[in-house]
Amino acid sequence: MPKNKTIIMLSAGHACVDLYQGAVAALVPFLVAERAYTYAAASGIVLAASLLSSVAQPLFGALTDRWALPWLLPVSTLLAGLGIALSGLGDSYPLTLALAAVSGIGIAAYHPESARVARIAAGGSHTAMGWFSLGGNLGFAAAPLLVAAVVAAGGLRLTPLLAVPALAGSVLYLPVLRAPRTSARPSARGASPAGHDDVASFVRLSLAVVCRSIVFVGLSTFIALYVPARTGGGAAAGAAALFVLYLGGAAGTVLGGGLADRWDRVTVVRASYLLSVAAVAGVVFVPGPMIYLFVALACMGLYVPFSLQVTLAQDYLPARVGTAAGVTLGLTVSVGGLTAPLIGAVADAASLQAALASLIAMPALSWLLLRTLREPTGQ
């Protein structure tokens, strides 16, 4: 397949998968309203979706370092959709947790292999990788709209309709699987530059991604509940805020790829985290409609580094690109999900504003971790 067509197909499939990551947070207000969950209980659903993913994604990455597994793309897409589609049936909290975990496993299986295939198709272009990541951001952005349209119409019992994107995504990947390079053995891939692993830089980058993840998960979990209180709006105001959050992420991803093709990735990533500090503070403390602007800026700042951090990680570990992708797309990102119940507990004990205020320090820590980081040798 031509490179641009392959990237487009991968990006569209990525949207179908990451829709289910966004759907977890989008379901939280409906779970609170329909099942009377507390903040901590509702955020536990986010934890369930993240917990197995955080452990499994690096393991899937290690597998893709040894074997090409392109068949994982359609299979994992179906699994991610199945867990969310069934999560609204019944009112058992343990069953809902288990189904969220099933979706998390599907997401874990998808990302390392998709990053491997996308890196091959991109041919070293940061802009192309940005477009691939954009698909995931658009899936996130569409999640609150799709969930609201489906669940608001008939309650949580209609969540099986959310399986449709998973079916579509699995079909989209069939032409990609026939591309010969996607099935090449690891030794024949040639997707990453030759060189020695820089483990110290990789660890620092990974810790910065952890801090970024905590901010994003905290905002995506609670912004739909926080914005109505700051604007005087209802559930629609919260859904709009979640949409703006994800749309800002989509814009940031495209912007990040273009900026990295003009300047080095590390410089772009550092600058974006400084922007995020001010933007998250605006989300927490600025009242009224202006909060939507700061929500967009916050997620732009958090997502400009997104695809750049994946390729940086792969270049710091050139002999283990699957593991690098599994850690940066999986383990570090999912740690944010592990902190969601803690943020919820602070909100229950104090206030939601106090809980979200603690997030301001996270992008500052990311900047400090990356302050002296260097671009990988040979890039």
Side-chain angles (χ1 to χ4, degrees):
M1 296 175 65
K3 180 175 73 173
N4 60 343
K5 186 177 180 181
T6 303
I7 288 292
I8 290 171
M9 299 290 281
L10 288 167
S11 181
H14 196 183
C16 293
V17 172
D18 277 10
L19 182 147
Y20 296 107
Q21 283 189 301
V24 177
L27 284 169
V28 165
F30 297 99
L31 292 168
V32 170
E34 192 168 323
R35 299 182 179 174
Y37 288 166
T38 65
Y39 287 141
S43 59
I45 305 297
V46 180
L47 170 63
S50 303
L51 186 57
L52 285 179
S53 179
S54 67
V55 175
Q57 208 158 147
L59 298 178
F60 282 109
L63 289 175
T64 64
D65 283 333
R66 299 193 63 183
W67 302 284
L69 304 171
W71 57 267
L72 271 179
L73 300 183
V75 171
S76 60
T77 301
L78 289 172
L79 195 61
L82 181 66
I84 295 300
L86 298 179
S87 65
L89 302 182
D91 58 359
S92 167
Y93 186 71
L95 179 60
T96 303
L97 289 175
L99 289 168
V102 167
S103 182
I105 292 174
I107 291 165
Y110 170 83
H111 279 99
E113 181 65 6
S114 67
R116 179 190 74 83
V117 174
R119 189 77 189 270
I120 293 171
S125 168
H126 300 310
T127 299
M129 284 297 290
W131 282 105
F132 166 69
S133 296
L134 172 65
N137 301 146
L138 292 178
F140 263 103
L145 301 179
L146 181 61
V147 169
V150 171
V151 179
L156 293 170
R157 64 184 179 82
L158 293 184
T159 56
L161 294 176
L162 297 176
V164 173
L167 296 173
S170 62
V171 172
L172 280 172
Y173 277 119
L174 296 181
V176 177
L177 299 186
R178 292 196 291 268
R181 291 187 69 197
T182 66
S183 299
R185 295 191 312 274
S187 60
R189 298 202 281 257
S192 60
H196 298 291
D197 289 347
D198 184 352
V199 176
S201 294
F202 175 76
V203 170
R204 288 168 60 193
L205 176 66
S206 298
L207 290 174
V209 179
V210 167
C211 295
R212 173 223 173 262
S213 171
I214 292 171
V215 181
F216 178 74
V217 171
L219 290 178
S220 63
T221 302
F222 295 109
I223 199 70
L225 298 170
Y226 182 68
V227 166
R230 301 291 289 176
T231 62
L242 198 57
F243 175 72
V244 169
L245 183 78
Y246 294 157
L247 195 62
T253 299
V254 175
L255 180 63
L259 291 174
D261 280 333
R262 297 189 62 182
W263 294 283
D264 69 89
R265 291 168 290 179
V266 174
T267 297
V268 173
V269 170
R270 281 198 296 254
S272 70
Y273 281 131
L274 284 179
L275 167 66
S276 299
V277 174
V280 174
V283 171
V284 176
F285 296 113
V286 173
M290 280 293 290
I291 194 172
Y292 289 101
L293 172 62
F294 286 103
V295 167
L297 289 175
C299 210
M300 285 182 66
L302 294 172
Y303 263 92
V304 162
F306 190 73
S307 66
L308 308 182
Q309 290 170 153
V310 177
T311 59
L312 277 169
Q314 289 175 324
D315 291 342
Y316 287 134
L317 297 183
R320 293 176 284 175
V321 296
T323 300
V327 171
T328 51
L329 286 171
L331 183 60
T332 52
V333 172
S334 297
V335 165
L338 304 183
T339 64
L342 177 60
I343 298 170
V346 173
D348 286 331
S351 70
L352 194 50
Q353 184 178 47
L356 295 180
S358 65
L359 301 179
I360 299 171
M362 293 296 103
L365 288 175
S366 293
W367 179 82
L368 287 172
L369 285 164
L370 302 178
R371 190 172 62 86
T372 59
L373 199 69
R374 296 181 180 274
E375 191 76 10
T377 305
Q379 296 302 300

